[in-house]
Amino acid sequence: MERRAFVSEKELEYQRECAERVRAVHAGETAWVDTYGCQQNEADSERMRGMLRDMGYILVSDEHADVVVINSCAVREHAEQRVFGNIGHMTHTKKENPNMKIILAGCMAGEETVREKVRRSYRHVDALLDTTSFWRLPETLLRLYEDGGRIIEDGEPDSRIAEELPVVRTSPYKAHVSIMYGCNNFCSYCIVPYVRGRERSRLPEDVIREVRELAESGCHDIMLLGQNVNSYSGGGKSFAELLAACAELEGDFVLRFMTSHPKDCSRELIDVIASHPKVERHIHLPVQSGSDEILRRMNRRYTAEHYISLIDYAREKIPGVIFTSDIIIGFPDESEEDFERTLDLVRRVRYDSLFTFIYSKRSGTPAAEMPDPVTHAEKVERFRRLNALQDSITLEDRAPLVGRTMRVHIDGESRTGELNLTARTQDGRLVSLKGSTELIGGWHTVKVTGVSTFSLSAELA
Ligand code: 5AD
Ligand code: SF4
């Protein structure tokens, strides 16, 4: 990996200078980073909070803050509508506080159509900052304060890596570590490659150092993140090698990773999971569809048979491994037969749980041009059938867990119900239990008392 792929030290130094200048005038004002979408956005938000803290802002969760950064998601239209709805409301907030700065960051900021819409109709948004340039947050704020006006720039995503950004972590026990950025796969339905730029990997030494520091600070749950972690290639290392190196570090933590792409998921990786107890016995392996014809039109570059062979290999090598997946229902012209292939695959794999989505047309992607005679009502009906099937599988396969003891990490308090604590099993399942809040932040042994499609309930053993 050449250093050319990185934002230079000089450019980062300039951002720190801008941060100092903002701080001199605005220290003590408030800032809110509101996050939508995936873990990658959560990770980016933690860095933006780090930069805002260094500029002297007090971090709050309040739309009346002096700076509001909306870290948006563009993967489905529904997510975009929600963001636009919330930005719409902020016209009033800004009237009350005209000095307020509103920045639309994240995936939506990388979309041509969004830029146009914001230029024309959302005039109270001061700046757009896409996912490849959020490290310019200090410079952006300084320009807004000093020059006035709005910053909405067109252009391609930057596709470089900014190391050593400050960070405010949401939890001392759980952390996301980005190992790579962007995506080169161009699945035909997906907007991510257009807004997050070309795939680029961090250097293994940088990732390993970050994981080591987290482990030393007492972090118990570390998630390695990338749009397609299996194609990681930093400093000549494969993802399997990087994962093994991280899993060999000292500390009482579990190592998770997402997302894996079936076309690049190697047997070597499965062997690393099998031989490293710190790596969770869970693979999130999005299949998207069980029909080879749909997979071909999705540009996924594997067949259902190849996918099943990976599952079988992993089950053989990693006893008790669980799988989760993403499935899109109603891809353009998906026939009843294609859909049945998906149901067959779900019955064959028996996922622990699924993330299911109804196809959402994203302008600029190849799938948006494909004819789609299937009605929305039909798609909703398939969506319901798929979820009903998965719910029955989840409940059947979890039922034998009742009465078993397992090690869980207690993460925090639950907002609802009498089981007041939330925890996670080593393989990533959600657990609810009753107990003292003093247990938060530690590993504990619990006995499972019940199962649902959403979580396990348990009591301290
Ligand atoms: N419509 C519906 N679901 C989508 N996903 C990505 N793009 C779309 C789209 N246009 C889903 C995929 C992916 C997950 C993160 O979001 O299943 O794995
Ligand atoms: Fe989108 Fe496919 Fe890349 Fe995942 S692998 S981010 S679905 S293009």
Side-chain angles (χ1 to χ4, degrees), residues 382-413:
R382 286 181 194 163
F383 185 71
R384 194 197 56 74
R385 283 161 67 197
L386 172 64
N387 288 324
L389 169 64
Q390 181 56 47
D391 284 353
S392 67
I393 292 173
T394 302
L395 290 176
E396 268 172 52
D397 289 1
R398 288 183 175 187
L401 299 176
V402 174
R404 280 213 214 148
T405 55
M406 50 182 74
R407 199 165 173 251
V408 302
H409 188 267
I410 301 186
D411 298 326
E413 283 184 85

Side-chain angles (χ1 to χ4, degrees), residues 227-439:
Q227 248 68 43
N228 174 10
V229 290
N230 307 107
S231 65
Y232 173 86
S233 65
K237 266 201 170 36
S238 69
F239 178 60
E241 289 167 327
L242 178 73
L243 186 67
C246 293
E248 280 154 23
L249 294 169
E250 302 260 314
D252 189 9
F253 62 92
V254 359
L255 201 54
R256 312 186 191 282
F257 58 93
M258 75 189 303
T259 296
S260 290
H261 194 306
K263 83 177 162 56
D264 302 309
C265 180
S266 66
R267 297 194 167 205
E268 184 196 1
L269 171 66
I270 293 169
D271 296 342
V272 165
I273 303 170
S275 58
H276 288 78
K278 279 187 183 139
V279 180
E280 68 167 341
R281 261 92 186 111
H282 160 221
I283 309 179
H284 180 63
L285 197 61
V287 68
Q288 312 298 0
S289 169
S291 153
D292 287 343
E293 173 55 19
I294 297 290
L295 289 171
R296 191 184 60 74
R297 285 198 274 125
M298 285 178 163
N299 192 31
R300 291 290 289 179
R301 287 173 279 172
Y302 55 82
T303 59
E305 191 186 329
H306 172 75
Y307 184 89
I308 301 271
S309 75
L310 281 172
I311 299 280
D312 287 346
Y313 183 78
R315 286 226 158 97
E316 180 196 324
K317 294 282 167 169
I318 316 167
V321 64
I322 61 175
F323 298 97
T324 53
S325 196
D326 296 346
I327 291 183
I328 297 177
I329 288 305
F331 183 80
D333 207 13
E334 177 193 64
S335 67
E336 175 62 24
E337 215 189 349
D338 292 318
F339 174 64
E340 299 274 347
R341 296 284 83 79
T342 299
L343 295 180
D344 289 344
L345 182 133
V346 168
R347 284 189 203 101
R348 171 74 164 79
V349 175
R350 300 191 74 85
Y351 293 105
D352 184 59
S353 62
L354 273 181
F355 299 90
T356 52
F357 310 101
I358 293 181
Y359 168 74
S360 168
K361 189 173 180 167
R362 308 284 51 220
S363 87
T365 62
E369 308 302 319
M370 296 178 188
D372 189 9
V374 184
T375 64
H376 184 68
E378 177 70 11
K379 294 184 183 192
V380 171
E381 179 55 18
R382 286 181 194 163
F383 185 71
R384 194 197 56 74
R385 283 161 67 197
L386 172 64
N387 288 324
L389 169 64
Q390 181 56 47
D391 284 353
S392 67
I393 292 173
T394 302
L395 290 176
E396 268 172 52
D397 289 1
R398 288 183 175 187
L401 299 176
V402 174
R404 280 213 214 148
T405 55
M406 50 182 74
R407 199 165 173 251
V408 302
H409 188 267
I410 301 186
D411 298 326
E413 283 184 85
S414 157
R415 261 166 269 173
T416 50
E418 74 171 277
L419 300 179
N420 62 319
L421 298 177
T422 61
R424 238 171 237 283
T425 62
Q426 282 176 298
D427 47 17
R429 285 164 166 150
L430 204 61
V431 178
S432 311
L433 72 157
K434 205 157 118 182
S436 154
T437 51
E438 282 171 16
L439 301 173

Side-chain angles (χ1 to χ4, degrees), residues 197-228:
R198 292 294 61 74
E199 189 174 282
R200 53 226 183 257
S201 298
R202 291 176 71 195
L203 292 174
E205 55 267 34
D206 290 335
V207 174
I208 293 166
R209 183 177 0 96
E210 187 173 341
V211 173
R212 181 187 296 115
E213 285 170 4
L214 283 165
E216 282 171 0
S217 76
C219 186
H220 291 152
D221 186 325
I222 301 174
M223 164 99 69
L224 305 182
L225 283 182
Q227 248 68 43
N228 174 10

Side-chain angles (χ1 to χ4, degrees), residues 3 6-14 135 160-162:
R3 278 284 160 190
F6 292 79
V7 175
S8 71
E9 182 45 39
K10 201 168 142 207
E11 285 168 287
L12 291 174
E13 183 52 39
Y14 177 63
W135 54 275
R160 291 180 301 162
I161 294 176

Side-chain angles (χ1 to χ4, degrees), residues 38-49:
C38 65
Q39 281 90 347
Q40 187 66 60
N41 269 10
E42 295 286 347
D44 293 349
S45 284
E46 291 185 343
R47 306 278 160 182
M48 290 196 269
R49 288 192 194 103

Side-chain angles (χ1 to χ4, degrees), residues 13-65:
E13 183 52 39
Y14 177 63
Q15 295 304 315
R16 289 191 285 268
E17 269 170 49
C18 292
E20 273 311 310
R21 285 165 62 189
V22 171
R23 187 184 177 96
V25 183
H26 297 277
E29 294 183 7
T30 53
W32 181 33
V33 182
D34 186 17
T35 314
Y36 296 77
C38 65
Q39 281 90 347
Q40 187 66 60
N41 269 10
E42 295 286 347
D44 293 349
S45 284
E46 291 185 343
R47 306 278 160 182
M48 290 196 269
R49 288 192 194 103
M51 289 183 266
L52 289 163
R53 177 204 56 202
D54 286 3
M55 286 184 263
Y57 290 99
I58 298 162
L59 298 171
V60 294
S61 301
D62 180 357
E63 64 166 32
H64 295 89

